[in-house]
């Protein structure tokens, strides 16, 4: 057998011992022990863990890295929305492109090769951010697949121009539509219009939802009903839903089963949710993170993602999903290997299932491979293991050599 590349001595999930991965024409041709073949190139992975790469199911590239343009005093959600709205009025297409590209490069080198990014589209941002992110998607396609979600961050019903602009973005290459009912003066109508646009363009929906610690203040029932009414099971994702963290186990079970039955997926954003929630508490501050592991046990498709980086929503971050998985597992006080491996899947295979990306390390599949300095998924999460190298369709996209003590 003739192949283009053989990666030798890799560790992969659910396979004992070291394996080789043979690649031909950008696809995985064979996986096995000591593959005998004629290869143009070989590389010894020296026991590194290999998998199809991280999937960031919820990130905001357009408003990343703007800390120097904003003030953080109260540290609340309302302040973050307000400060970012002021800043984005001054965004230029080149400015967004530069900041987004820098963050995408960090994500790639941290092992992410699939991503869903929200892009705010409204009278303040215009179409500038959208055009910039379209360029980023094209320019970095050699290393990462990017979905663009046209997003109404600041509401919809009180600004008719926003709806027309979202419609235009969906005609011009946006992959799906995103809504934010809690910022709208009419949340119910907001949800209805988002679904109307989704059906018009036959795209999926991703809502920012229920960003508070009050279980009684919720737009979730309306989203569940709209999902059923529009026949959108399996095509809706909700992000944040931090008020689920305030439910007792029985109430969480009831709500979780409804989410699962409706075919709605959930993405948890640990860094942002930790930073913004519970500001009104003087002691015993709640974490404010929806328990994705408990909801997964109820049948909900779940993922963990980055959300914001270096802006008023999250003044930290580097787009490392290994670090984000570690943060979530730590805050949720998980310790069993089975739970930790589920967390790994929520930035990998399960995140891919939420976003609709393929995520298989298997013969016949694209040779999208990331290696890390670890022996297994549990170790990756527990230690925020560093990446070593990555390939996209069999082409090497980055390298981060293992550190050596001299």
């Amino acid at each position: 057998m003739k192949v283009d590349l053989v990666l030798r001595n890799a560790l992969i999930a659910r396979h004992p011992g070291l394996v080789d991965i043979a690649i031909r024409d950008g696809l995985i041709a064979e996986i096995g022990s000591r593959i005998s073949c004629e290869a143009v190139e070989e590389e010894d992975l020296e026991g590194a863990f290999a998998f199809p790469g991280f999937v960031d199911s919820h990130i905001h590239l357009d408003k990343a890295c703007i800390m120097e343009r904003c003030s953080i005093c109260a540290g609340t959600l309302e302040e973050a929305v307000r400060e970012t709205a002021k800043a984005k009025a001054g965004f230029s297409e080149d400015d967004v492109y530069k900041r987004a590209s820098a963050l995408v490069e960090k994500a790639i080198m941290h092992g992410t090769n699939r991503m869903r990014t929200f892009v705010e589209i409204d009278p303040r941002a215009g179409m500038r951010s959208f055009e910039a992110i379209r360029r980023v998607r094209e320019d970095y396609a050699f290393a990462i697949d990017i979905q663009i979600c046209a997003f109404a961050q600041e509401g919809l019903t009180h600004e008719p121009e926003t709806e027309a602009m979202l419609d235009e973005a969906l005609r011009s290459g946006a992959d799906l539509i995103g809504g934010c009912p809690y910022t709208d003066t009419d949340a119910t109508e907001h949800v209805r219009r988002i679904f109307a646009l989704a059906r018009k363009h036959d795209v999926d929906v991703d809502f920012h939802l229920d960003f508070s610690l009050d279980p009684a203040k919720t737009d979730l029932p309306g989203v569940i009903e709209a999902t059923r009414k529009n026949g959108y099971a399996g095509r809706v994702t909700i992000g944040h839903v931090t008020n689920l963290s305030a439910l007792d186990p029985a109430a969480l079970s009831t709500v979780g089963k409804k989410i699962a039955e409706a075919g709605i997926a959930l993405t948890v954003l640990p860094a942002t949710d930790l930073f913004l929630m519970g500001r009104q508490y003087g002691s015993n501050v709640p974490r404010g993170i929806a328990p994705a592991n408990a909801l997964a046990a109820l049948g909900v498709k779940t993922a963990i993602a980055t959300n914001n980086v270096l802006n008023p929503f999250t003044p930290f971050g580097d787009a490392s999903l290994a670090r984000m998985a570690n943060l979530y597992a730590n805050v949720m006080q998980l310790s069993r290997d089975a739970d930790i491996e589920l967390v790994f899947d929520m930035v990998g295979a399960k995140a891919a299932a939420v976003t609709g990306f393929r995520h298989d390390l298997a013969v016949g599949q694209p040779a999208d491979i990331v290696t890390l300095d670890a022996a297994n998924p549990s170790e990756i999460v527990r230690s925020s293991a560093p990446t070593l190298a990555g390939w996209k369709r069999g082409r090497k996209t980055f390298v981060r050599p293992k550190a050596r003590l001299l």
Side-chain angles (χ1 to χ4, degrees):
M1 179 176 67
K2 293 184 177 181
V3 298
D4 303 314
L5 172 66
V6 178
L7 302 176
R8 297 201 181 274
N9 299 314
L11 291 169
I12 62 174
R14 295 174 292 279
H15 193 290
L18 297 172
V19 301
D20 299 339
I21 305 170
I23 299 166
R24 182 176 55 234
D25 297 330
L27 303 177
I28 297 174
E30 185 178 349
I31 299 175
S33 300
R34 300 177 182 176
I35 294 174
S36 178
C37 61
E38 183 181 336
V40 176
E41 183 182 356
E42 292 193 9
E43 184 166 342
D44 189 350
L45 299 184
E46 300 179 337
F49 182 83
F51 84 121
F54 293 115
V55 181
D56 205 327
S57 56
H58 184 130
I59 192 170
H60 294 262
L61 294 177
D62 58 336
K63 58 189 182 187
C65 308
I66 57 169
M67 282 298 298
E68 74 283 358
R69 311 180 197 185
C70 304
S71 298
I72 300 178
C73 297
T76 61
L77 173 62
E78 294 75 18
E79 180 184 62
V81 171
R82 184 175 65 251
E83 286 293 308
T84 304
K86 288 191 297 184
K88 75 180 178 184
F91 290 177
S92 69
E93 183 178 329
D94 286 344
D95 164 50
V96 175
Y97 179 86
K98 182 178 179 180
R99 289 184 288 100
S101 295
L103 188 58
V104 165
E105 290 182 9
K106 283 188 177 183
I108 291 167
M109 289 188 285
H110 283 306
T112 296
N113 56 26
R114 297 169 183 84
M115 174 183 288
R116 172 179 290 179
T117 182
F118 293 80
V119 180
E120 295 185 20
I121 296 175
D122 55 38
R124 283 153 299 287
M127 303 296 286
R128 300 184 301 279
S129 294
F130 174 65
E131 294 299 336
I133 300 303
R134 282 207 307 175
R135 287 169 52 199
V136 172
R137 177 174 65 181
E138 180 178 348
D139 290 351
Y140 288 90
F142 72 92
I144 189 168
D145 299 319
I146 298 178
Q147 289 179 349
I148 298 177
C149 181
F151 179 47
Q153 166 73 79
E154 297 177 52
L156 185 60
T157 63
H158 53 292
E159 288 185 327
E161 316 95 294
T162 299
E163 188 169 0
M165 295 170 72
L166 292 169
D167 192 31
E168 179 185 347
L170 290 166
R171 286 196 306 269
S172 303
D175 299 290
L176 69 160
I177 188 166
C180 193
Y182 62 78
T183 62
D184 205 306
T185 53
D186 188 340
T188 301
E189 180 63 10
H190 180 106
V191 171
R192 189 194 70 78
R193 293 189 190 185
I194 291 293
F195 270 102
L197 284 167
R199 292 188 62 180
K200 177 180 178 179
H201 294 275
D202 190 23
V203 297
D204 291 356
V205 177
D206 199 327
F207 286 107
H208 289 45
L209 202 67
D210 290 2
F211 207 173
S212 76
L213 293 174
D214 183 359
K217 184 181 179 182
T218 176
D219 296 310
L220 178 58
V223 170
I224 290 174
E225 177 58 29
T227 300
R228 289 177 175 151
K229 181 179 178 180
N230 288 281
Y232 252 58
R235 303 192 67 179
V236 178
T237 303
I238 52 178
H240 298 294
V241 204
T242 52
N243 61 2
L244 293 178
S245 69
L247 296 177
D248 62 47
L252 180 69
S253 178
T254 298
V255 174
K257 289 175 183 176
K258 290 179 180 179
I259 296 171
E261 289 167 1
I264 295 173
L266 168 71
T267 301
V268 175
L269 298 316
T272 300
D273 298 347
L274 276 171
F275 180 73
L276 293 177
M277 290 296 97
R279 291 281 177 166
Q280 68 273 34
Y281 288 78
S283 60
N284 290 327
V285 180
R287 298 180 179 92
I289 297 178
N293 51 314
L295 291 163
L298 296 169
V300 180
K301 285 185 178 180
T302 53
I304 297 166
T306 297
N307 196 40
N308 283 288
V309 175
L310 299 175
N311 69 16
F313 292 88
T314 321
F316 310 100
D318 58 359
S320 167
L321 284 174
R323 186 179 68 83
M324 198 59 63
N326 173 279
L327 174 64
Y328 172 85
N330 207 329
V331 171
M332 301 306 289
Q333 301 174 323
L334 304 178
S335 59
R336 298 186 309 151
D337 276 344
D339 292 330
I340 302 299
E341 288 167 7
L342 173 61
V343 171
F344 177 78
D345 283 343
M346 285 195 279
V347 290
K350 288 187 177 295
V354 166
T355 51
F357 286 117
R358 292 298 299 267
H359 192 272
D360 299 307
L361 194 65
V363 172
Q365 294 302 313
D368 298 344
I369 299 166
V370 168
T371 60
L372 298 99
D373 187 13
N376 53 58
S378 181
E379 183 182 342
I380 291 168
V381 175
R382 292 183 191 278
S383 66
S384 302
T387 52
L388 298 173
W391 291 261
K392 190 70 172 171
R393 293 178 285 277
R395 176 186 175 187
K396 201 166 192 178
T397 54
F398 76 91
V399 60
R400 297 178 67 132
K402 185 185 296 188
R404 293 188 300 140
L405 185 64
L406 303 179

